[in-house]
Amino acid sequence: MSKHIDVELKNIQKKFGSNVVVDDFSIQIEKGECISFLGPSGCGKTTTLNMIAGFLEPDQGELFIKGKRMNGVPSNKRELGMVFQTYSLFPHMTIFENVAYGLKLRKVPKTEIASRVSKVLELVKLPHVADRYPKQLSGGQRQRIAIARALVTEPSLLLLDEPLSNLDAKLREELRDEMKRLQQEIGVTTIFVTHDQEEALYMSSRIVVLDHGKVEQIGTPWDIYNRPASEFVHTFIGKSNKMPGVVEQAVGNKLSLRTDEGLTLIAESKSSQVKAGDNVSIYVRPEKIAIYSDNRGTLDTNRVMGTVKLTSFLGAYTECEVRVGRYAMTVRIQSGHQEAAFAQGQTVYLEWKPEDVFVFPGKGHGQ
Ligand SMILES: Nc1ncnc2c1ncn2[C@@H]1O[C@H](COP(=O)(O)OP(=O)(O)OP(=O)(O)O)[C@@H](O)[C@H]1O
Ligand SMILES: [Mg+2]
């Protein structure tokens, strides 16, 4: 069965002066997917989106939308819906007029405009605001109208550039839920730009992790989290505890490691290209560490002793900072699991499984 590819980037490159800001970017995006571009500020997310939108031309490479080559095709011929980081509603127009704008340009008959606008306002759960002006809405409501305006023309591709970043935490979450529901309901192929890793994990069928204009990894949220292609991807997505060390022995996929603190650890590597003698960066995530007040753990590997320095209750979980030699290790204890409270200064035992250890070549770039 052949896949239905909606968007394809082939070796796209963009330079500003001599500065390469998007380097050899290739991806095939299937119909109905929600793809996130995720990466730190300045990594080229907006630049790539602007090339797909037709606001910028690539210096090299090809872009296809629905099988048609788009290089040189003006933005208004690409059937896109776009939502930007800052609210881009026209202040002097009512909400109805704002949403209807794109349909008017396309000379859609008046009665059809009325019914399509009311349908899309229903969809974003704001059916009663048609007569108001943008300044009479909250920030979250305005952003929902921006989404309605992008959807009303039934675009073949929806491009969202950090549409939630101007909103407070609670509203972000609400709107994120709603956007996911909408995206799945309508099935519109969507590209979503964010530097928020949780947002990317939540929204996406696949995530593209970018760093300095380069694609570090393309994968499902699960892949990106559990099978990171690089140390950069691992440390960008979620918290992790780092220990520099060296490989003492590598037999099959089993690695015996020694940290610079002299701890002996065992790792079951997934795809590690390291060998005995290599300097490595060793990581374990806070939620993979079990913590005990006595030495009664169940594993015979990766067990270390430490001292509790700090505990922070965060509702769904408690975060414990444990001093192990020079390392300050973060341990995450899910509420209702294990022992609820550990006191500052208390001696504790930490343990984690070999398959939860990530090993990357080199001394790493810190966190
Ligand atoms: N018009 C321009 N002229 C020169 N350099 C530019 C231009 N636009 C962007 N850049 C540079 O290109 C790089 C990528 O910028 P881009 O806006 O794509 O980053 P981003 O990933 O969207 O970042 P952010 O998360 O901060 O929005 C940055 O180093 C930026 O300074
Ligand atoms: Mg940007």
mmCIF file of all heavy atoms in Angstrom, residues 16 19 21 40-47 162 195, ligand 1:
data_model
loop_
_atom_site.group_PDB
_atom_site.id
_atom_site.type_symbol
_atom_site.label_atom_id
_atom_site.label_comp_id
_atom_site.label_asym_id
_atom_site.label_seq_id
_atom_site.Cartn_x
_atom_site.Cartn_y
_atom_site.Cartn_z
ATOM 1 N N PHE A 16 21.298 32.730 5.266
ATOM 2 C CA PHE A 16 21.206 34.189 5.341
ATOM 3 C C PHE A 16 22.646 34.673 5.304
ATOM 4 O O PHE A 16 23.389 34.420 6.245
ATOM 5 C CB PHE A 16 20.494 34.651 6.607
ATOM 6 C CG PHE A 16 19.014 34.354 6.605
ATOM 7 C CD1 PHE A 16 18.469 33.462 7.510
ATOM 8 C CD2 PHE A 16 18.170 34.969 5.682
ATOM 9 C CE1 PHE A 16 17.106 33.190 7.508
ATOM 10 C CE2 PHE A 16 16.808 34.700 5.669
ATOM 11 C CZ PHE A 16 16.283 33.810 6.589
ATOM 12 N N ASN A 19 25.503 32.396 6.589
ATOM 13 C CA ASN A 19 25.005 31.627 7.722
ATOM 14 C C ASN A 19 23.972 30.589 7.257
ATOM 15 O O ASN A 19 22.883 30.945 6.814
ATOM 16 C CB ASN A 19 24.374 32.632 8.709
ATOM 17 C CG ASN A 19 24.098 32.015 10.052
ATOM 18 O OD1 ASN A 19 24.591 30.937 10.356
ATOM 19 N ND2 ASN A 19 23.292 32.710 10.846
ATOM 20 N N VAL A 21 21.137 28.411 7.933
ATOM 21 C CA VAL A 21 20.194 28.286 9.057
ATOM 22 C C VAL A 21 19.269 27.072 8.924
ATOM 23 O O VAL A 21 18.695 26.620 9.904
ATOM 24 C CB VAL A 21 19.376 29.574 9.309
ATOM 25 C CG1 VAL A 21 20.304 30.739 9.605
ATOM 26 C CG2 VAL A 21 18.454 29.886 8.161
ATOM 27 N N PRO A 40 15.632 24.454 20.032
ATOM 28 C CA PRO A 40 15.880 25.693 20.768
ATOM 29 C C PRO A 40 15.748 26.926 19.873
ATOM 30 O O PRO A 40 15.718 26.815 18.642
ATOM 31 C CB PRO A 40 17.321 25.536 21.261
ATOM 32 C CG PRO A 40 17.939 24.519 20.373
ATOM 33 C CD PRO A 40 16.844 23.631 19.895
ATOM 34 N N SER A 41 15.699 28.076 20.488
ATOM 35 C CA SER A 41 15.566 29.337 19.768
ATOM 36 C C SER A 41 16.682 29.473 18.733
ATOM 37 O O SER A 41 17.848 29.200 19.025
ATOM 38 C CB SER A 41 15.628 30.486 20.778
ATOM 39 O OG SER A 41 15.366 31.687 20.122
ATOM 40 N N GLY A 42 16.301 29.855 17.526
ATOM 41 C CA GLY A 42 17.290 30.099 16.479
ATOM 42 C C GLY A 42 17.691 28.868 15.688
ATOM 43 O O GLY A 42 18.582 28.942 14.847
ATOM 44 N N CYS A 43 17.034 27.718 15.903
ATOM 45 C CA CYS A 43 17.462 26.486 15.225
ATOM 46 C C CYS A 43 16.893 26.367 13.815
ATOM 47 O O CYS A 43 17.234 25.434 13.088
ATOM 48 C CB CYS A 43 17.096 25.255 16.044
ATOM 49 S SG CYS A 43 15.331 24.930 16.099
ATOM 50 N N GLY A 44 16.018 27.300 13.425
ATOM 51 C CA GLY A 44 15.536 27.293 12.039
ATOM 52 C C GLY A 44 14.092 26.854 11.851
ATOM 53 O O GLY A 44 13.670 26.590 10.725
ATOM 54 N N LYS A 45 13.328 26.799 12.918
ATOM 55 C CA LYS A 45 11.937 26.327 12.830
ATOM 56 C C LYS A 45 11.076 27.269 11.981
ATOM 57 O O LYS A 45 10.431 26.836 11.023
ATOM 58 C CB LYS A 45 11.313 26.227 14.239
ATOM 59 C CG LYS A 45 12.106 25.355 15.202
ATOM 60 C CD LYS A 45 11.433 25.265 16.553
ATOM 61 C CE LYS A 45 11.373 26.559 17.337
ATOM 62 N NZ LYS A 45 12.670 27.017 17.871
ATOM 63 N N THR A 46 11.094 28.553 12.331
ATOM 64 C CA THR A 46 10.257 29.521 11.606
ATOM 65 C C THR A 46 10.721 29.660 10.164
ATOM 66 O O THR A 46 9.908 29.738 9.242
ATOM 67 C CB THR A 46 10.282 30.885 12.328
ATOM 68 O OG1 THR A 46 9.711 30.708 13.622
ATOM 69 C CG2 THR A 46 9.488 31.932 11.576
ATOM 70 N N THR A 47 12.036 29.649 9.965
ATOM 71 C CA THR A 47 12.575 29.761 8.602
ATOM 72 C C THR A 47 12.049 28.616 7.726
ATOM 73 O O THR A 47 11.626 28.835 6.586
ATOM 74 C CB THR A 47 14.118 29.747 8.639
ATOM 75 O OG1 THR A 47 14.560 30.798 9.501
ATOM 76 C CG2 THR A 47 14.714 29.943 7.263
ATOM 77 N N GLU A 162 4.211 28.461 16.881
ATOM 78 C CA GLU A 162 4.098 28.743 18.315
ATOM 79 C C GLU A 162 2.785 29.442 18.652
ATOM 80 O O GLU A 162 2.784 30.512 19.260
ATOM 81 C CB GLU A 162 5.283 29.608 18.769
ATOM 82 C CG GLU A 162 6.607 29.068 18.287
ATOM 83 C CD GLU A 162 7.616 28.886 19.401
ATOM 84 O OE1 GLU A 162 7.231 28.986 20.581
ATOM 85 O OE2 GLU A 162 8.784 28.598 19.088
ATOM 86 N N HIS A 195 8.966 25.340 20.816
ATOM 87 C CA HIS A 195 10.213 24.984 21.490
ATOM 88 C C HIS A 195 9.907 24.302 22.815
ATOM 89 O O HIS A 195 10.796 24.054 23.615
ATOM 90 C CB HIS A 195 11.117 26.212 21.684
ATOM 91 C CG HIS A 195 10.472 27.313 22.457
ATOM 92 N ND1 HIS A 195 10.027 28.465 21.881
ATOM 93 C CD2 HIS A 195 10.162 27.399 23.762
ATOM 94 C CE1 HIS A 195 9.474 29.228 22.797
ATOM 95 N NE2 HIS A 195 9.538 28.606 23.952
HETATM 96 N N1 LIG B 1 15.778 37.567 7.672
HETATM 97 C C1 LIG B 1 16.850 37.077 8.304
HETATM 98 N N2 LIG B 1 18.082 37.549 8.036
HETATM 99 C C2 LIG B 1 19.174 37.035 8.656
HETATM 100 N N3 LIG B 1 19.132 36.045 9.563
HETATM 101 C C3 LIG B 1 17.942 35.546 9.873
HETATM 102 C C4 LIG B 1 16.731 36.024 9.272
HETATM 103 N N4 LIG B 1 15.688 35.330 9.782
HETATM 104 C C5 LIG B 1 16.222 34.464 10.663
HETATM 105 N N5 LIG B 1 17.564 34.575 10.718
HETATM 106 C C6 LIG B 1 18.487 33.748 11.540
HETATM 107 O O1 LIG B 1 18.263 32.402 11.188
HETATM 108 C C7 LIG B 1 18.312 31.558 12.313
HETATM 109 C C8 LIG B 1 17.011 30.751 12.439
HETATM 110 O O2 LIG B 1 15.957 31.636 12.724
HETATM 111 P P1 LIG B 1 14.468 31.116 12.949
HETATM 112 O O3 LIG B 1 13.591 32.317 13.072
HETATM 113 O O4 LIG B 1 14.126 30.130 11.897
HETATM 114 O O5 LIG B 1 14.608 30.400 14.362
HETATM 115 P P2 LIG B 1 13.494 29.655 15.245
HETATM 116 O O6 LIG B 1 13.923 28.243 15.359
HETATM 117 O O7 LIG B 1 12.138 29.945 14.697
HETATM 118 O O8 LIG B 1 13.697 30.370 16.672
HETATM 119 P P3 LIG B 1 12.620 30.873 17.771
HETATM 120 O O9 LIG B 1 12.282 29.674 18.608
HETATM 121 O O10 LIG B 1 13.402 31.881 18.564
HETATM 122 O O11 LIG B 1 11.459 31.474 17.061
HETATM 123 C C9 LIG B 1 18.587 32.475 13.506
HETATM 124 O O12 LIG B 1 19.952 32.418 13.792
HETATM 125 C C10 LIG B 1 18.190 33.840 13.007
HETATM 126 O O13 LIG B 1 18.933 34.836 13.643
#
